[in-house]
Amino acid sequence: MKTLYLKSENENTPSIAAGILKDGGTVAIPTETVYGLAANALNPEAVAKIFAAKGRPQDNPLIVHVQSLDEIPPLVEKVDERLPALAERFWPGPLTVIMKKSALVPDAVSAGLDTVAIRMPSHPAAREIIKACGFPLAAPSANASGRPSPTRAEHVKEDLDGRIDAVVDGGECEVGVESTVITLATEPPTLLRPGGVTPEELEEVLGKIEISHAVYEKLAEGEKAHSPGMKYKHYAPKAQVTLIKGSFERYEKFLKAHNESICAVCFEGEGKNFDEYIEYGRAKDSLIQAHNIFEVLREVDAKGYKKAFVRCPSIKGVGLAVFNRLIRSAAFRIIDLDFDIPVYGLTGQTGAGKSIVGEELAKYGFCIIDTDSLARKAVESPEVLSALKDAFGEDIVFDGKLDRALLASRAFASDENTKILNSATHPEITRLTVEEIHAAEKSGAKAAVIDAPVLFESPLTCLCRKIICVTADEEARLERIMLRDGISREKALERIKAQRSEEYYVSKSDIIIRNSDIDDTRDKTVKIAREELL
Ligand code: TXA
Ligand code: MG
């Protein structure tokens, strides 16, 4: 279909848009939060077109938009007695209220739930169009499902051109993130999605409210979502997004430790420290960040970046809404670089005796983090798995299980492929490693040790105060590998040859332990542990 583009300031736009909507069509309209893709909320066939155009999962209900309070009683079982106070304070504006629905609301809108979400937008164009229609409008954000929500008519065009009947261009949306969603169907009321109206403001009217834990974190496997929209990866650009918490110094160091192109999505004034960056507002200004965030996520793609590391916003006030959107765009990958215990790296060629050194350090209160096992865990994460399937073929997953041998044969077939594997897995391995550092700190460990055979290829080096490298004669290494893994001399030699040289390891390390005798190695390690913990 050909999409018609209308300007909100044209006098006859509301009547043209209303005409399309009355005929059961779909029109993207501006609101003060984000652009919405509207259809007649009381017409299931029209509503079905919204789901089709967006590619939206059928179990994700829509918000019903009204422009006056008298439109509400027919839509609900009973008007909640707290609604007038909420309406008085926040409507028209960025608040959505959920109540038990009436039979008038089609199942297509509520996605089979017994509740309905209602909002009264303040944008004059939205209000005029609803008024001209004479019926309420169901309208989700006007993006393709999963993509960042649109805050300009051009964003709608990018995602939905040719899939919807019309777009009303009303300029840039003021708030920039979607409305706050609160349900009055629970006691106390529960905040399901943070937005332009903050939890504190809601409590001034409602008293104590719950905040659904899905606002901050991923739902547990199999857990039912109060708000179906909260269970999906969402708001995501094509680029891989990771949220980074902690000071600017650590953020900068961490980004610069990567030897691939990364876009720094940072606060105003910080971008000059990076080659590639986009700033998303002042560090302390959540309103500006909310206004900019979706546009910035789209810009990451427009500029062709494959990876973005985003500075974590404050979660105070409207900041909670910014955090909520970012953590979803990052598929919940957040790396918190804010820890106080010292971190060491432990590396060396295979068979050199790293594990003996690790054992000894553990006795002195060093927490050993085994990155090999974290790497195995990382490839099981749904996000990483889907990136790997895209890169190496759907058949690497068979019967829901990763075929590690097949993945290895493809991923290590060329340097280029290995790079792709690393790029897909490193952020998750790093996240898991940093999680372990925090756990070590919590449990009272004196230091954390990142035990990694390929430490130097990873940005984790930047977290290390010192790097300890264990070396041993090739003959001794050969014997150990054969014994440990039960393989032939030729196979063991092959593994050794596939690794970097001893000089490479030594030149990049701070402390070298030459392992020629077990007892001597233990003694040396004890000495190092004592010195480091002084
Ligand atoms: O600001 C906004 O709210 C924008 C503009 C266009 O009004 N709309 C919007 O709609 O963000 P949408 O569909 O992208 O998000 C609606 C959210 C989803 O997370 C959905 O699951 C939730 O509201 N929702 C809708 N009806 C619900 C219900 N009955 N119970 C629980 N959650 C509901
Ligand atoms: Mg949406």
Side-chain angles (χ1 to χ4, degrees), residues 347-350 352 453 456-457 469-472 474 477 495-509 512 514:
T347 190
Q349 290 170 301
T350 176
F456 301 120
E457 281 78 58
C469 160
V470 187
T471 68
E474 184 167 300
R477 283 190 278 129
R495 282 203 200 160
I496 286 185
K497 295 283 176 248
Q499 286 195 317
R500 302 271 200 166
S501 69
E502 184 173 294
E503 296 74 63
Y504 174 83
Y505 279 88
V506 169
S507 69
K508 288 175 158 298
S509 301
I512 320 293
R514 182 120 203 108

Side-chain angles (χ1 to χ4, degrees), residues 244-319:
I244 311 288
K245 217 173 147 200
S247 68
F248 176 71
E249 279 119 301
R250 289 201 179 183
Y251 173 79
E252 184 186 11
K253 209 166 144 195
F254 182 67
L255 261 68
K256 290 187 171 163
H258 287 74
N259 50 9
E260 60 186 320
S261 149
I262 281 170
C263 176
V265 177
C266 51
F267 298 131
E268 196 176 300
E270 295 175 346
K272 60 179 182 299
N273 299 286
F274 304 98
D275 295 336
E276 295 164 319
Y277 69 90
I278 305 174
E279 295 178 342
Y280 77 101
R282 274 187 293 144
K284 293 213 166 99
D285 193 339
S286 300
L287 288 177
I288 290 286
Q289 292 167 17
H291 180 83
N292 291 338
I293 195 61
F294 284 135
E295 173 140 38
V296 164
L297 289 176
R298 280 178 184 263
E299 203 178 325
V300 167
D301 280 346
K303 291 191 166 161
Y305 297 122
K306 296 284 174 282
K307 267 189 185 182
F309 282 177
V310 184
R311 279 268 269 152
C312 190
S314 147
I315 59 167
K316 284 204 206 104
V318 177

Side-chain angles (χ1 to χ4, degrees), residues 474-483 486-496:
E474 184 167 300
E475 190 51 39
R477 283 190 278 129
L478 263 176
E479 301 263 316
R480 268 193 222 116
I481 299 168
M482 284 157 60
L483 197 68
I487 56 172
S488 68
R489 198 177 173 82
E490 290 64 45
K491 273 260 173 285
L493 202 58
E494 227 172 73
R495 282 203 200 160
I496 286 185

